[in-house]
Amino acid sequence: WNDNLTGIAESGVPADGSAAHDWTVPWNSTHKQFLFALADCSQWLITMPSEVNGMNYADEPRWILKSSDQDMPYQAKWHNRAENVEDPLVSVQDHDESGEYGSSAMLYGESYATSVEQKNAHGGANVYIRGSLPEDRVLLYAVSNTSNLTFMPGEDTMNSLVRMSDGNIIHRECSGCDGTHSDIFMVRDEMEGYSAYEDLIVNWRGDLGFGSAFNLFSNLNDALALTNAWGYCDGNTGFGFPAHCGPAGNSSLQYNSYSGDGQPDYVFWILRGESPSTTSTSLTVTATTFTS
């Protein structure tokens, strides 16, 4: 509309995504994802608010979580310039090259005649929000009735999300686990090239680098302070995370399993941004889902 996607604009009579008239309603939730889509759903993308607004940029790559072009995260160059009333400009591909992909590649622009023509050619365009995923972390994988979350990406997508987060603390929630394993925080030193999907979902390799490349903790405060690290870990057992690792010794049946014989209700997150190194000497320190 004309509010830089901040949620303060209000216009028209609220209807559905195929309405013949323009309308928008304000929102007061701290939303976590945008879905931009043409009315005929021929082109669409899902991204995070931090990639769209909140800062100014010009012809810079912004992260797209998923789109009609690709089912894994990638980047496209957009604009959000302070002096341009038409911004932000959001497109499936690089904005300055979007014409090469057809007019439908342009999904959002404010006070922008070209985008009006493009959207009208496809029956209009819509912006949706959802607002119950934490801002400080990225959802990696979820099979959870308790949290009302189902998100089962493939290997490439999950590993791309890890790299996109720029973080090194991974958190697993497990509603059916013992208290010692209901929340586990892994601090890992080297994330470049780390295959989170293989390690966490398919075959946990806790036998490699425990106490040096990574450590496990029972709560976030301990993970940030690097105190009270777990004392036992194994791996390469054919089970997912954390196999038989435990705070003081071998544990049983606390792992999630790719084959389905482990814990059935779990969620993996990765915290955004830089976190402590496992070798640091400092000790001071209901969701809804889109169907596409």
Side-chain angles (χ1 to χ4, degrees), residues 12-34:
V13 178
D16 60 26
S18 60
H21 64 278
D22 294 335
W23 64 273
T24 186
V25 296
W27 62 78
N28 55 19
S29 64
T30 306
H31 62 289
K32 305 306 186 294
Q33 290 185 343
F34 280 121

Side-chain angles (χ1 to χ4, degrees), residues 252-280:
S252 61
L253 300 177
Q254 303 303 303
Y255 48 81
N256 47 266
S257 177
Y258 186 73
S259 61
D261 57 353
Q263 290 291 330
D265 195 305
Y266 58 93
V267 181
F268 281 101
W269 309 87
I270 185 166
L271 277 65
R272 295 183 185 278
E274 296 182 0
S275 301
S277 164
T278 60
T279 57
S280 171

Side-chain angles (χ1 to χ4, degrees), residues 46 48 60 83 86 102 112 123 132 142 145 161 176 195 200 220 235-236 280 283 292:
I46 299 171
M48 297 169 290
E60 291 185 8
E83 68 278 9
E86 67 269 24
Y112 199 43
S132 53
N145 290 327
L161 289 170
S195 179
L200 301 176
L220 181 57
N236 201 26
S280 171
L283 300 179
S292 55

Side-chain angles (χ1 to χ4, degrees), residues 7-265:
I8 61 174
E10 184 172 10
S11 179
V13 178
D16 60 26
S18 60
H21 64 278
D22 294 335
W23 64 273
T24 186
V25 296
W27 62 78
N28 55 19
S29 64
T30 306
H31 62 289
K32 305 306 186 294
Q33 290 185 343
F34 280 121
L35 167 62
F36 296 90
L38 295 175
D40 62 6
C41 293
S42 60
Q43 295 281 325
W44 55 267
L45 67 84
I46 299 171
T47 188
M48 297 169 290
S50 59
E51 298 302 303
V52 179
N53 52 23
M55 63 178 293
N56 295 125
Y57 52 86
D59 197 33
E60 291 185 8
R62 315 302 291 177
W63 279 105
I64 296 171
L65 297 177
K66 190 177 183 180
S67 79
S68 49
D69 274 16
Q70 298 189 37
D71 63 0
M72 62 180 291
Y74 68 99
Q75 291 181 301
K77 293 180 180 179
W78 300 340
H79 295 278
N80 189 32
R81 299 156 294 189
E83 68 278 9
N84 290 67
V85 296
E86 67 269 24
D87 291 5
L89 300 177
V90 178
S91 51
V92 173
Q93 299 291 345
D94 292 350
H95 171 73
D96 291 345
E97 299 178 1
S98 60
E100 298 178 12
Y101 302 93
S103 60
S104 58
M106 181 68 184
L107 296 184
Y108 188 83
E110 300 185 357
S111 305
Y112 199 43
T114 302
S115 61
V116 170
E117 294 172 2
Q118 292 170 354
K119 76 177 181 64
N120 288 346
H122 293 269
N126 301 303
V127 180
Y128 303 89
I129 64 170
R130 64 175 179 184
S132 53
L133 297 179
E135 286 186 330
D136 62 345
R137 59 194 62 201
V138 175
L139 180 64
L140 296 180
Y141 199 95
V143 183
S144 177
N145 290 327
T146 302
S147 301
N148 191 27
L149 278 172
T150 300
F151 180 58
M152 303 171 66
E155 182 172 6
D156 290 343
T157 299
M158 183 171 174
N159 292 340
S160 294
L161 289 170
V162 169
R163 291 191 294 272
M164 185 176 67
S165 73
D166 292 324
N168 73 325
I169 295 183
I170 292 176
H171 175 204
R172 190 196 74 169
E173 300 174 346
C174 178
S175 64
C177 288
D178 295 342
T180 54
H181 289 70
S182 58
D183 287 281
I184 306 173
F185 294 83
M186 175 176 66
V187 180
R188 191 170 199 95
D189 269 357
E190 183 55 59
M191 300 302 291
E192 184 67 29
Y194 174 56
S195 179
Y197 183 89
E198 175 69 24
D199 202 30
L200 301 176
I201 307 302
V202 181
N203 184 31
W204 166 246
R205 293 307 304 266
D207 55 318
L208 300 176
F210 179 56
S212 56
F214 76 93
N215 271 308
L216 303 178
F217 303 87
S218 296
N219 59 70
L220 181 57
N221 287 338
D222 283 350
L224 292 173
L226 299 176
T227 58
N228 302 315
W230 283 19
Y232 174 81
C233 210
D234 67 356
N236 201 26
T237 61
F239 301 125
F241 182 83
H244 303 107
C245 303
N250 187 300
S251 65
S252 61
L253 300 177
Q254 303 303 303
Y255 48 81
N256 47 266
S257 177
Y258 186 73
S259 61
D261 57 353
Q263 290 291 330
D265 195 305

